[in-house]
């Protein structure tokens, strides 16, 4: 079971960037997928999560207040991928971004069982 976040890079304030989370060994559709970020010297914080689809789960989304209205999390079930579309990026969005998989919607790192390697997002003019 492996997760991999990708798509990071260097952008200017106000730019957009889309991160991707891919998986091998399991189907993302059946897990809540969370995006977290960690900046140097700071704790890992939740950015967004999307609930699993199917059964009693509706695939609902949750966002941290700091990114609500600017970031959008989504799934491509056919491609077994989850995306984080980020717009109007600010310098304070710069961090290593991680995707994680867990059983239930949660904005806490402890709620996730599987973590991928992160991807660096740098926002600088």
């Amino acid at each position: 079971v492996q997760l991999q976040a990708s798509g990071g890079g260097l952008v200017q304030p106000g730019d957009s960037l889309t991160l991707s989370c891919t998986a091998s060994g399991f189907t993302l559709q059946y897990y809540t997928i969370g995006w977290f970020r960690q900046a140097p010297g700071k704790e890992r914080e939740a950015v967004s999560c999307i609930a699993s689809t199917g059964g009693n789960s509706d695939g609902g989304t949750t966002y941290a207040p700091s990114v609500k209205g600017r970031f959008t999390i989504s799934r491509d079930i056919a491609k077994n991928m989850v995306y984080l579309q980020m717009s109007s990026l600010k310098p304070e969005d710069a961090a290593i971004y991680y995707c994680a998989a867990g059983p239930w919607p949660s904005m806490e790192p402890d709620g996730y069982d599987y973590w991928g390697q992160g991807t660096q997002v740098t926002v600088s003019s």
Side-chain angles (χ1 to χ4, degrees), residues 29-124:
Q29 175 184 359
Y30 303 123
Y31 292 82
T32 287
I33 304 301
W35 282 98
F36 292 78
R37 66 187 181 187
Q38 189 166 18
K42 295 188 177 181
E43 291 187 355
R44 189 168 297 189
E45 64 173 353
V47 175
S48 180
C49 70
I50 184 167
S52 62
T53 59
N56 294 325
S57 181
D58 62 358
T61 58
T62 305
Y63 297 93
S66 61
V67 307
K68 197 168 186 178
R70 299 189 297 122
F71 291 12
T72 302
I73 191 170
S74 63
R75 291 182 184 273
D76 186 326
I77 294 174
K79 293 184 178 179
N80 199 32
M81 295 181 71
V82 172
Y83 303 103
L84 184 69
Q85 296 172 278
M86 306 184 294
S87 62
S88 302
L89 282 161
K90 304 175 182 180
E92 52 264 41
D93 294 318
I96 298 175
Y97 282 70
Y98 301 87
C99 61
W104 308 110
S106 173
M107 294 293 274
E108 297 294 333
D110 289 348
Y112 293 83
D113 301 316
Y114 306 105
W115 290 82
Q117 292 186 334
T119 185
Q120 177 74 52
V121 174
T122 304
V123 185
S124 175

